[in-house]
Amino acid sequence: MKRAAIAGTGSYLPKKVLTNKDLEKIVETSDEWITARTGIKERHIVSKEESASDLGAKAAISALRQAKVHASEVELIIVTTVTPDMFFPATACIIQDKIGAINAAAFDLNAACSGFVYGLSVAEQFIKTGVYRRVLLIATEAMSRVADYTDRGTCVLLGDGAGAAVIVPAEDDEKGILSSWLAAAGKYGNLLHVPAGGSRMPASHRTVDEHLHYMKMEGPVLFKVAIKSMVEAIKKVLSLLSISPEELALVIPHQANLRIIKAVAKGVNVPLEKFYINVDLCGNMSSASVAVALDEALKKGRIKSGDLVLLVTFGAGLTWGSCVIRF
């Protein structure tokens, strides 16, 4: 079976920037408080006219251009998002229409912040089994739409953005996605969720009045579980490949919190300098975080031919996972 490889990446961040100083005018907080606890200084926010599909379409077009693949050649579109345009149709179908990928099958995948790594694993199977030769994976999030700007514990974290990758059969047998490792623990689902809007708690005057359509988070508990799970994910995927941490050129973690990233680096004994970090400028973009960071790292020359790169994520579900790619 042919190994799956990334032929091109793209990303898009909304033009509007919301700084910590801006948040000081909205909620009881301060730049010092946010920076000390999260490492975040600013985040990008969608305009009133933008939705997840708009961001995803722009990231997709960028990735297709870099991969030199026409939209009509795409055979499958996978969109990872927790902020879809609507319940149905799938945001993947909306993006399919926007970019003119008329020959592609399309579906959404929801693994929260772990979505891009989960999506890479799914795309990899289609490529390796020969079902498809060109898969477009898009992670797109408008997290500001589920941010409660009366809750300083959560609203300061969230940002909007999209990243995309074109996955194809590897031309070089030594390169491509080497292995993935995925995990979930539904028993912790109450630690991070949006309570209302689904079939269990449909929208009503009460759910709106009580802010139940916004993200709720048990921060202190989640903090500890996130570190433990991401450390586990890194160790598991490296053990599958018999690779030592020293062999990694770069680690791209989910950008939830700088303190979490520092703790994970310490937990796996990898220098923080080997971790790609953009949480200070983007905040937590859920599944789009790793996708955007990967595109940025490639464009900035942080990833070179032959490099071993590890992606590691953690998110609501709870879900977590990792992936090692040789570029």
Side-chain angles (χ1 to χ4, degrees):
M1 292 187 291
K2 276 281 189 179
R3 184 171 281 152
I6 294 175
T9 61
S11 61
Y12 176 78
L13 299 173
K15 293 179 180 179
K16 181 181 178 181
V17 174
L18 184 68
T19 67
N20 290 349
K21 290 294 184 181
D22 294 328
L23 282 169
E24 290 179 353
K25 303 171 186 176
I26 300 171
V27 66
E28 186 181 346
T29 190
S30 68
D31 176 42
E32 293 76 18
W33 188 90
I34 299 169
T35 303
R37 285 161 178 77
T38 70
I40 300 170
K41 300 295 289 185
E42 60 186 46
R43 67 289 292 151
H44 293 258
I45 303 295
V46 291
S47 67
K48 291 181 179 179
E49 295 76 27
E50 289 179 307
S51 67
S53 69
D54 295 315
L55 309 185
K58 290 176 180 178
I61 290 169
S62 177
L64 290 169
R65 186 180 298 118
Q66 189 189 57
K68 297 181 180 178
V69 171
H70 192 273
S72 64
E73 298 176 297
V74 174
E75 296 161 281
L76 175 65
I77 297 172
I78 304 171
V79 168
T80 74
T81 185
V82 294
T83 54
D85 282 23
M86 58 193 78
F87 279 149
F88 56 86
T91 301
C93 292
I94 297 172
I95 293 177
Q96 182 224 39
D97 180 52
K98 287 186 175 182
I99 67 175
I102 57 174
N103 296 309
F107 64 85
D108 288 358
L109 184 159
N110 181 351
C113 304
S114 302
F116 190 71
V117 167
Y118 265 65
L120 273 177
S121 182
V122 173
E124 178 192 9
Q125 310 314 312
F126 280 111
I127 295 295
K128 288 174 70 173
T129 55
V131 176
Y132 296 121
R133 293 184 58 82
R134 296 177 185 87
V135 178
L136 175 59
L137 173 63
I138 307 162
T140 182
E141 304 285 7
M143 294 303 294
S144 63
R145 299 294 202 220
V146 295
D148 184 350
Y149 287 99
T150 66
D151 177 10
R152 74 170 186 168
T154 58
C155 72
V156 301
L157 303 172
L158 304 176
D160 303 334
V166 178
I167 298 104
V168 301
E171 295 182 0
D172 186 332
D173 291 339
E174 299 299 317
K175 296 183 178 181
I177 300 172
L178 303 187
S179 186
S180 298
W181 185 84
L182 308 176
K187 66 180 180 179
Y188 294 120
N190 65 318
L191 297 181
L192 184 60
H193 66 302
V194 175
S199 60
R200 180 166 297 281
M201 194 182 297
S204 66
H205 286 294
R206 182 182 72 83
T207 62
V208 173
D209 292 342
E210 296 181 10
H211 289 209
L212 298 178
H213 296 271
Y214 296 124
M215 187 182 85
K216 308 296 180 184
M217 181 177 73
E218 297 291 337
V221 180
L222 194 66
F223 185 90
K224 296 177 183 178
V225 178
I227 295 168
K228 180 181 178 181
S229 299
M230 290 174 74
V231 168
E232 177 192 32
I234 291 173
K235 290 181 177 180
K236 288 283 190 180
V237 77
L238 290 180
S239 68
L240 288 173
L241 296 166
S242 298
I243 290 174
S244 68
E246 291 76 22
E247 295 177 74
L248 296 173
L250 192 67
V251 177
I252 302 180
H254 173 50
Q255 310 286 317
N257 183 307
L258 183 57
R259 290 193 298 152
I260 290 176
I261 295 172
K262 287 180 176 180
V264 170
K266 184 178 180 181
V268 294
N269 198 29
V270 174
L272 189 62
E273 293 72 29
K274 280 193 173 185
F275 279 67
Y276 186 85
I277 299 170
N278 67 357
V279 68
D280 54 329
L281 302 178
C282 295
N284 181 350
M285 299 182 290
S286 189
S287 71
S289 287
V290 166
V292 170
L294 174 61
D295 183 53
E296 288 182 358
L298 284 163
K299 287 179 168 57
K300 290 180 179 180
R302 291 287 302 274
I303 300 173
K304 298 178 176 59
S305 179
D307 280 353
L308 279 175
V309 178
L310 187 147
L311 313 182
V312 60
T313 56
F314 171 88
L318 296 177
T319 61
W320 60 102
S322 51
C323 175
V324 174
I325 307 168
R326 187 180 293 280
F327 281 86

